Amino acid sequence: MSESITPSVARTEVDSLHSVLERNRRTFAWKTWGLDEKGLRATTATSSMTLGGLVKHVALVEADWLAVKLAGREYGAPWDTVDFDADPDWEWRTGALDSPGDVYAVWRDAVERSREVVAEVIKERGLDGPASFTWPDGRTPTVRDMLLDMIEEYARHTGHADILREVVDGRVGEGAPEDFTLLALPELP
């Protein structure tokens, strides 16, 4: 049985948010994992988007949204050495050029860090607590808002990955197989 949403009386809101985010992360990983350089560099239609760039972009979003904006921490490696003013598409460009092992490691590290950060923030602030930044209009999103935005980010980019992956090797489907886990991603070919 795949990781689908199953109603449960005992499930908390935190459990539900984590479950949906983890399901989206898992599906995204399944759609993008196990490709060589050619697969990570493939494009479709008139888009220059690649799966390698997409993986690295989502890793940056993990750092930006959850570590920086939610928890108030620094970006950390590799983001802290990038001049995004000089190269605003750095993650997209380098994600299409880096080795698969490097691309996947950046994403995996970002997810592991985010899991730890989110757990700490929820313990400290709860879902109704404030994020560590304020929008230009003066509003401060809640922890819940930030997690929902992260879920939305994965859902949107998993759709992109779905199209690109089908072009690369025909992989299609709604969700990852049961034996595909984020904790033990398959080794690269």
Side-chain angles (χ1 to χ4, degrees), residues 17 20 23 28 30 32 40 42 45 48 64 68 82 92 98 101 104-105 113 118 121 123-124 126 154 166 168 178:
L17 288 168
V20 173
R23 187 179 72 247
F28 178 81
W30 176 65
T32 61
L40 286 174
S48 62
D64 182 50
V68 175
V82 178
W92 292 99
D98 292 349
Y104 294 132
R113 180 180 184 209
V118 167
V121 168
K123 185 176 180 180
E124 292 170 4
Y154 268 101
E166 185 174 2
V168 171
E178 271 189 60

mmCIF file of all heavy atoms in Angstrom, residues 17 20 23 28 30 32 40 42 45 48 64 68 82 92 98 101 104-105 113 118 121 123-124 126 154 166 168 178:
data_model
loop_
_atom_site.group_PDB
_atom_site.id
_atom_site.type_symbol
_atom_site.label_atom_id
_atom_site.label_comp_id
_atom_site.label_asym_id
_atom_site.label_seq_id
_atom_site.Cartn_x
_atom_site.Cartn_y
_atom_site.Cartn_z
ATOM 1 N N LEU A 17 0.321 17.039 8.730
ATOM 2 C CA LEU A 17 1.198 17.893 7.928
ATOM 3 C C LEU A 17 2.489 17.171 7.562
ATOM 4 O O LEU A 17 2.937 17.212 6.406
ATOM 5 C CB LEU A 17 1.510 19.188 8.677
ATOM 6 C CG LEU A 17 0.361 20.179 8.786
ATOM 7 C CD1 LEU A 17 0.696 21.273 9.788
ATOM 8 C CD2 LEU A 17 0.027 20.772 7.435
ATOM 9 N N VAL A 20 1.777 14.463 4.807
ATOM 10 C CA VAL A 20 1.594 14.985 3.452
ATOM 11 C C VAL A 20 2.916 15.495 2.895
ATOM 12 O O VAL A 20 3.251 15.237 1.733
ATOM 13 C CB VAL A 20 0.505 16.083 3.430
ATOM 14 C CG1 VAL A 20 0.436 16.747 2.061
ATOM 15 C CG2 VAL A 20 -0.851 15.484 3.784
ATOM 16 N N ARG A 23 5.052 12.453 2.049
ATOM 17 C CA ARG A 23 4.545 11.785 0.845
ATOM 18 C C ARG A 23 4.971 12.551 -0.403
ATOM 19 O O ARG A 23 5.408 11.962 -1.396
ATOM 20 C CB ARG A 23 3.021 11.649 0.896
ATOM 21 C CG ARG A 23 2.487 10.820 -0.264
ATOM 22 C CD ARG A 23 0.966 10.644 -0.237
ATOM 23 N NE ARG A 23 0.323 11.900 -0.595
ATOM 24 C CZ ARG A 23 -0.402 12.639 0.224
ATOM 25 N NH1 ARG A 23 -0.621 12.252 1.464
ATOM 26 N NH2 ARG A 23 -0.939 13.764 -0.179
ATOM 27 N N PHE A 28 8.447 13.010 -5.045
ATOM 28 C CA PHE A 28 9.423 13.821 -5.777
ATOM 29 C C PHE A 28 10.727 13.051 -5.952
ATOM 30 O O PHE A 28 11.286 12.996 -7.048
ATOM 31 C CB PHE A 28 9.677 15.136 -5.037
ATOM 32 C CG PHE A 28 10.707 16.012 -5.702
ATOM 33 C CD1 PHE A 28 10.356 16.802 -6.772
ATOM 34 C CD2 PHE A 28 12.014 16.029 -5.253
ATOM 35 C CE1 PHE A 28 11.305 17.606 -7.404
ATOM 36 C CE2 PHE A 28 12.970 16.823 -5.860
ATOM 37 C CZ PHE A 28 12.612 17.614 -6.943
ATOM 38 N N TRP A 30 11.218 9.814 -5.912
ATOM 39 C CA TRP A 30 11.011 8.682 -6.820
ATOM 40 C C TRP A 30 11.007 9.151 -8.271
ATOM 41 O O TRP A 30 11.549 8.487 -9.150
ATOM 42 C CB TRP A 30 9.707 7.973 -6.461
ATOM 43 C CG TRP A 30 9.350 6.852 -7.372
ATOM 44 C CD1 TRP A 30 10.026 5.678 -7.544
ATOM 45 C CD2 TRP A 30 8.225 6.777 -8.231
ATOM 46 N NE1 TRP A 30 9.378 4.883 -8.459
ATOM 47 C CE2 TRP A 30 8.266 5.535 -8.888
ATOM 48 C CE3 TRP A 30 7.165 7.643 -8.495
ATOM 49 C CZ2 TRP A 30 7.299 5.153 -9.810
ATOM 50 C CZ3 TRP A 30 6.205 7.249 -9.404
ATOM 51 C CH2 TRP A 30 6.278 6.022 -10.051
ATOM 52 N N THR A 32 12.616 11.661 -9.483
ATOM 53 C CA THR A 32 13.883 12.256 -9.907
ATOM 54 C C THR A 32 15.099 11.382 -9.640
ATOM 55 O O THR A 32 16.191 11.682 -10.109
ATOM 56 C CB THR A 32 14.102 13.617 -9.198
ATOM 57 O OG1 THR A 32 14.159 13.430 -7.796
ATOM 58 C CG2 THR A 32 12.995 14.594 -9.546
ATOM 59 N N LEU A 40 19.577 13.672 -15.957
ATOM 60 C CA LEU A 40 19.417 14.883 -15.158
ATOM 61 C C LEU A 40 19.518 16.154 -15.993
ATOM 62 O O LEU A 40 19.125 17.225 -15.538
ATOM 63 C CB LEU A 40 20.435 14.919 -14.019
ATOM 64 C CG LEU A 40 20.159 13.976 -12.858
ATOM 65 C CD1 LEU A 40 21.314 13.992 -11.862
ATOM 66 C CD2 LEU A 40 18.857 14.333 -12.148
ATOM 67 N N ALA A 42 18.259 16.294 -19.275
ATOM 68 C CA ALA A 42 17.245 16.266 -20.322
ATOM 69 C C ALA A 42 16.248 17.407 -20.143
ATOM 70 O O ALA A 42 15.902 17.781 -19.027
ATOM 71 C CB ALA A 42 16.513 14.928 -20.297
ATOM 72 N N ALA A 45 10.061 20.084 -24.428
ATOM 73 C CA ALA A 45 9.383 21.231 -25.039
ATOM 74 C C ALA A 45 10.351 22.407 -25.149
ATOM 75 O O ALA A 45 11.505 22.221 -25.498
ATOM 76 C CB ALA A 45 8.139 21.587 -24.252
ATOM 77 N N SER A 48 13.893 25.046 -20.416
ATOM 78 C CA SER A 48 15.286 24.698 -20.141
ATOM 79 C C SER A 48 15.410 23.973 -18.803
ATOM 80 O O SER A 48 16.509 23.651 -18.368
ATOM 81 C CB SER A 48 16.160 25.954 -20.138
ATOM 82 O OG SER A 48 15.730 26.827 -19.109
ATOM 83 N N ASP A 64 15.845 27.676 2.359
ATOM 84 C CA ASP A 64 15.294 29.027 2.439
ATOM 85 C C ASP A 64 14.014 29.065 3.262
ATOM 86 O O ASP A 64 13.872 29.879 4.175
ATOM 87 C CB ASP A 64 15.027 29.554 1.024
ATOM 88 C CG ASP A 64 14.502 30.979 1.027
ATOM 89 O OD1 ASP A 64 15.118 31.843 1.688
ATOM 90 O OD2 ASP A 64 13.477 31.231 0.370
ATOM 91 N N VAL A 68 15.884 29.029 7.091
ATOM 92 C CA VAL A 68 16.052 30.474 7.212
ATOM 93 C C VAL A 68 14.757 31.158 7.656
ATOM 94 O O VAL A 68 14.705 31.803 8.695
ATOM 95 C CB VAL A 68 16.565 31.079 5.882
ATOM 96 C CG1 VAL A 68 16.634 32.595 5.959
ATOM 97 C CG2 VAL A 68 17.931 30.504 5.538
ATOM 98 N N VAL A 82 27.253 31.143 -2.330
ATOM 99 C CA VAL A 82 26.748 31.515 -3.653
ATOM 100 C C VAL A 82 26.362 32.988 -3.669
ATOM 101 O O VAL A 82 25.703 33.475 -2.749
ATOM 102 C CB VAL A 82 25.509 30.658 -4.027
ATOM 103 C CG1 VAL A 82 24.957 31.074 -5.390
ATOM 104 C CG2 VAL A 82 25.850 29.179 -4.020
ATOM 105 N N TRP A 92 19.734 26.090 -10.582
ATOM 106 C CA TRP A 92 19.232 25.491 -11.818
ATOM 107 C C TRP A 92 20.401 25.170 -12.760
ATOM 108 O O TRP A 92 20.464 24.083 -13.338
ATOM 109 C CB TRP A 92 18.250 26.431 -12.515
ATOM 110 C CG TRP A 92 16.981 26.618 -11.763
ATOM 111 C CD1 TRP A 92 16.660 27.675 -10.951
ATOM 112 C CD2 TRP A 92 15.871 25.724 -11.725
ATOM 113 N NE1 TRP A 92 15.414 27.483 -10.420
ATOM 114 C CE2 TRP A 92 14.899 26.303 -10.880
ATOM 115 C CE3 TRP A 92 15.595 24.497 -12.328
ATOM 116 C CZ2 TRP A 92 13.674 25.700 -10.629
ATOM 117 C CZ3 TRP A 92 14.377 23.899 -12.077
ATOM 118 C CH2 TRP A 92 13.441 24.502 -11.232
ATOM 119 N N ASP A 98 26.279 19.385 -12.359
ATOM 120 C CA ASP A 98 26.902 18.589 -11.303
ATOM 121 C C ASP A 98 26.677 17.095 -11.527
ATOM 122 O O ASP A 98 25.733 16.688 -12.209
ATOM 123 C CB ASP A 98 26.329 18.963 -9.938
ATOM 124 C CG ASP A 98 26.705 20.367 -9.498
ATOM 125 O OD1 ASP A 98 27.570 20.987 -10.132
ATOM 126 O OD2 ASP A 98 26.093 20.848 -8.530
ATOM 127 N N GLY A 101 25.536 12.175 -8.063
ATOM 128 C CA GLY A 101 25.801 11.981 -6.642
ATOM 129 C C GLY A 101 25.807 13.292 -5.871
ATOM 130 O O GLY A 101 25.268 13.375 -4.769
ATOM 131 N N TYR A 104 22.086 14.769 -5.758
ATOM 132 C CA TYR A 104 21.245 14.047 -4.802
ATOM 133 C C TYR A 104 21.699 14.276 -3.356
ATOM 134 O O TYR A 104 20.875 14.362 -2.451
ATOM 135 C CB TYR A 104 21.218 12.553 -5.116
ATOM 136 C CG TYR A 104 20.545 12.229 -6.434
ATOM 137 C CD1 TYR A 104 21.148 11.376 -7.346
ATOM 138 C CD2 TYR A 104 19.299 12.759 -6.771
ATOM 139 C CE1 TYR A 104 20.533 11.056 -8.551
ATOM 140 C CE2 TYR A 104 18.685 12.453 -7.969
ATOM 141 C CZ TYR A 104 19.298 11.601 -8.855
ATOM 142 O OH TYR A 104 18.692 11.287 -10.042
ATOM 143 N N ALA A 105 22.995 14.393 -3.133
ATOM 144 C CA ALA A 105 23.505 14.624 -1.776
ATOM 145 C C ALA A 105 23.054 15.979 -1.240
ATOM 146 O O ALA A 105 22.692 16.089 -0.061
ATOM 147 C CB ALA A 105 25.028 14.523 -1.753
ATOM 148 N N ARG A 113 18.232 18.064 7.230
ATOM 149 C CA ARG A 113 18.318 19.267 8.063
ATOM 150 C C ARG A 113 16.925 19.824 8.336
ATOM 151 O O ARG A 113 16.598 20.189 9.472
ATOM 152 C CB ARG A 113 19.185 20.318 7.366
ATOM 153 C CG ARG A 113 19.320 21.593 8.170
ATOM 154 C CD ARG A 113 20.177 22.605 7.444
ATOM 155 N NE ARG A 113 20.363 23.785 8.276
ATOM 156 C CZ ARG A 113 20.554 24.992 7.771
ATOM 157 N NH1 ARG A 113 20.613 25.183 6.471
ATOM 158 N NH2 ARG A 113 20.706 26.023 8.573
ATOM 159 N N VAL A 118 12.389 21.518 11.610
ATOM 160 C CA VAL A 118 10.936 21.580 11.774
ATOM 161 C C VAL A 118 10.513 20.953 13.101
ATOM 162 O O VAL A 118 9.674 21.512 13.825
ATOM 163 C CB VAL A 118 10.214 20.932 10.579
ATOM 164 C CG1 VAL A 118 8.737 20.706 10.866
ATOM 165 C CG2 VAL A 118 10.392 21.782 9.323
ATOM 166 N N VAL A 121 11.330 23.471 15.830
ATOM 167 C CA VAL A 121 10.464 24.651 15.793
ATOM 168 C C VAL A 121 9.062 24.303 16.289
ATOM 169 O O VAL A 121 8.469 25.069 17.053
ATOM 170 C CB VAL A 121 10.429 25.264 14.372
ATOM 171 C CG1 VAL A 121 9.331 26.302 14.244
ATOM 172 C CG2 VAL A 121 11.784 25.876 14.024
ATOM 173 N N LYS A 123 8.259 21.953 18.362
ATOM 174 C CA LYS A 123 8.351 21.733 19.811
ATOM 175 C C LYS A 123 8.397 23.069 20.558
ATOM 176 O O LYS A 123 7.771 23.234 21.595
ATOM 177 C CB LYS A 123 9.592 20.894 20.128
ATOM 178 C CG LYS A 123 9.708 20.509 21.577
ATOM 179 C CD LYS A 123 10.895 19.600 21.800
ATOM 180 C CE LYS A 123 10.997 19.219 23.273
ATOM 181 N NZ LYS A 123 12.117 18.335 23.537
ATOM 182 N N GLU A 124 9.139 24.038 20.012
ATOM 183 C CA GLU A 124 9.297 25.343 20.664
ATOM 184 C C GLU A 124 8.081 26.249 20.493
ATOM 185 O O GLU A 124 7.703 26.967 21.421
ATOM 186 C CB GLU A 124 10.507 26.085 20.078
ATOM 187 C CG GLU A 124 11.836 25.472 20.406
ATOM 188 C CD GLU A 124 12.971 26.100 19.594
ATOM 189 O OE1 GLU A 124 12.735 27.068 18.823
ATOM 190 O OE2 GLU A 124 14.108 25.607 19.715
ATOM 191 N N GLY A 126 5.003 25.425 18.388
ATOM 192 C CA GLY A 126 3.721 24.866 17.974
ATOM 193 C C GLY A 126 3.373 25.316 16.559
ATOM 194 O O GLY A 126 4.082 26.123 15.963
ATOM 195 N N TYR A 154 6.504 21.264 -3.097
ATOM 196 C CA TYR A 154 6.768 19.903 -3.568
ATOM 197 C C TYR A 154 5.721 19.438 -4.562
ATOM 198 O O TYR A 154 6.055 18.810 -5.570
ATOM 199 C CB TYR A 154 6.858 18.920 -2.397
ATOM 200 C CG TYR A 154 8.267 18.751 -1.909
ATOM 201 C CD1 TYR A 154 8.701 19.399 -0.766
ATOM 202 C CD2 TYR A 154 9.168 17.955 -2.603
ATOM 203 C CE1 TYR A 154 10.005 19.257 -0.320
ATOM 204 C CE2 TYR A 154 10.475 17.810 -2.170
ATOM 205 C CZ TYR A 154 10.885 18.472 -1.024
ATOM 206 O OH TYR A 154 12.176 18.335 -0.594
ATOM 207 N N GLU A 166 9.125 11.343 -17.520
ATOM 208 C CA GLU A 166 8.508 10.550 -18.584
ATOM 209 C C GLU A 166 9.289 10.682 -19.889
ATOM 210 O O GLU A 166 9.478 9.714 -20.618
ATOM 211 C CB GLU A 166 7.052 10.976 -18.797
ATOM 212 C CG GLU A 166 6.340 10.098 -19.802
ATOM 213 C CD GLU A 166 4.864 10.411 -19.935
ATOM 214 O OE1 GLU A 166 4.364 11.343 -19.270
ATOM 215 O OE2 GLU A 166 4.201 9.709 -20.720
ATOM 216 N N VAL A 168 12.542 11.291 -20.087
ATOM 217 C CA VAL A 168 13.848 10.656 -19.916
ATOM 218 C C VAL A 168 13.768 9.145 -20.120
ATOM 219 O O VAL A 168 14.520 8.574 -20.900
ATOM 220 C CB VAL A 168 14.435 10.981 -18.518
ATOM 221 C CG1 VAL A 168 15.676 10.149 -18.233
ATOM 222 C CG2 VAL A 168 14.751 12.462 -18.411
ATOM 223 N N GLU A 178 6.179 0.900 -2.798
ATOM 224 C CA GLU A 178 6.352 0.708 -1.350
ATOM 225 C C GLU A 178 7.801 0.584 -0.928
ATOM 226 O O GLU A 178 8.186 1.037 0.143
ATOM 227 C CB GLU A 178 5.608 -0.556 -0.894
ATOM 228 C CG GLU A 178 4.184 -0.292 -0.498
ATOM 229 C CD GLU A 178 3.553 -1.509 0.144
ATOM 230 O OE1 GLU A 178 4.054 -1.968 1.190
ATOM 231 O OE2 GLU A 178 2.559 -1.981 -0.414
#
